[in-house]
Amino acid sequence: MNHATGVLLPFARIGAFIVAAPMVDSNAVPPLIKIALGLFLAIVVYPLIEVPPAVGWNFGSLLLLLQQLVIGFAMALALRVVFGLVHVGGQMIAQQMGLGFAALQDPQNGVQVPVVSRFYSVLLILLFFAINGHLVVIDILVGSFHSWPLTSGLPQWSVWDQFINWSALIFSGGLQMALPAVTVLLMVNMSFGVIARAAPQLNILVVGFPISLMAGLVLILLTLVTMVPLIHRYVGEALSMMQALVSG
């Protein structure tokens, strides 16, 4: 029973993180692989941490198990905010360039997302692995059992308040990411309105759509230079927020 408790409690925190974390929660990853990964990490962590003695299945043990699930979900959601702002920013750009209707099935979330959002999501995933973000996540997840032991309960409200403010980055960060392209595309669309008033006989829908599409593609290419450092900064802030949740 002691060994079962020692593995079950870390597995609850790690398993909750794997279920909600981006990339790993994809439908392309079989559930057995997720369970095996979480169980493997829990077994590795078990000899390195202090676990409470087994007291049987009572309200206290169930509450302790629930606390580990909440901490694991919160750490995953802190990282998921970055993927959310990338989707929002890509959707803003897609709407302005006329690709809002062109959607693909996103294997990360199981929903339809614009192709521009999917492009930025792939870019984020490649950048995340390029900077060894997966290794940093595992290090933070394993180190959380030392900085925030199993019997420490939930973090204080000040930490959750900081986490709620961090989640607002989905909208502010998405707007910051899409603002240059959206501004230029808005000026292009305004110029189409002027042309439509000056030459009513011109079918502006037929002429304007390919121009908006080409302008959007060119802007995506030009803004990649500033987009990559911006995404890199947001990933670093997400990892810092994960660390802050379990730093006490």
Side-chain angles (χ1 to χ4, degrees):
M1 183 62 71
N2 288 329
H3 293 294
T5 304
V7 174
L8 180 61
L9 291 178
F11 176 71
R13 183 184 298 187
I14 297 173
F17 177 83
I18 292 176
V19 168
M23 296 177 290
V24 186
D25 70 329
S26 171
N27 296 329
V29 181
L32 290 178
I33 299 298
K34 301 176 186 178
I35 296 174
L37 178 60
L39 188 59
F40 171 75
L41 291 176
I43 293 175
V44 171
V45 168
Y46 169 58
L48 306 176
I49 63 176
E50 296 182 2
V51 295
V55 292
W57 292 103
N58 52 30
F59 179 76
S61 61
L62 292 178
L63 182 61
L64 186 61
L65 186 64
L66 181 61
Q67 291 172 352
Q68 305 311 311
L69 293 175
V70 171
I71 293 174
F73 276 123
M75 295 176 67
L77 291 178
L79 184 61
R80 201 175 186 87
V81 167
V82 182
F83 288 80
L85 70 88
V86 166
H87 286 169
V88 171
Q91 189 170 9
M92 291 180 181
I93 298 175
Q95 290 289 344
Q96 290 295 325
M97 64 185 296
L99 284 181
F101 63 88
L104 290 174
Q105 182 71 18
D106 185 9
Q108 298 291 330
N109 304 304
V111 296
Q112 295 283 338
V113 297
V115 291
V116 180
S117 297
R118 187 60 190 151
F119 169 75
Y120 285 127
S121 296
V122 174
L123 179 64
L124 174 57
I125 293 174
L126 294 176
L127 180 62
F128 186 79
F129 284 109
I131 63 176
N132 291 327
H134 57 296
L135 301 180
V136 178
V137 166
I138 294 177
D139 181 67
I140 294 175
L141 187 60
V142 175
S144 67
F145 293 99
H146 296 282
S147 58
W148 195 261
L150 296 173
T151 56
S152 297
L154 293 176
Q156 299 178 356
W157 172 249
S158 59
V159 178
W160 295 111
D161 184 63
Q162 184 181 2
F163 176 75
I164 293 174
N165 294 331
W166 161 253
S167 63
L169 189 69
I170 293 179
F171 304 101
S172 61
L175 180 61
Q176 183 180 0
M177 187 183 76
L179 189 59
V182 169
T183 302
V184 176
L185 290 173
L186 181 60
M187 296 174 62
V188 172
N189 292 328
M190 290 177 61
S191 65
F192 291 154
V194 174
I195 295 174
R197 293 289 295 178
Q201 69 276 9
L202 183 63
N203 191 344
I204 197 63
L205 294 178
V206 177
V207 178
F209 177 73
I211 296 177
S212 298
L213 183 60
M214 290 301 299
L217 294 176
V218 171
L219 287 171
I220 290 175
L221 179 62
L222 295 177
T223 55
L224 283 179
V225 180
T226 59
M227 195 75 66
V228 172
L230 186 64
I231 295 177
H232 186 277
R233 179 168 65 87
Y234 286 145
V235 170
E237 292 179 1
L239 296 176
S240 299
M241 177 54 62
M242 286 181 57
Q243 183 67 45
L245 282 172
V246 290
S247 62

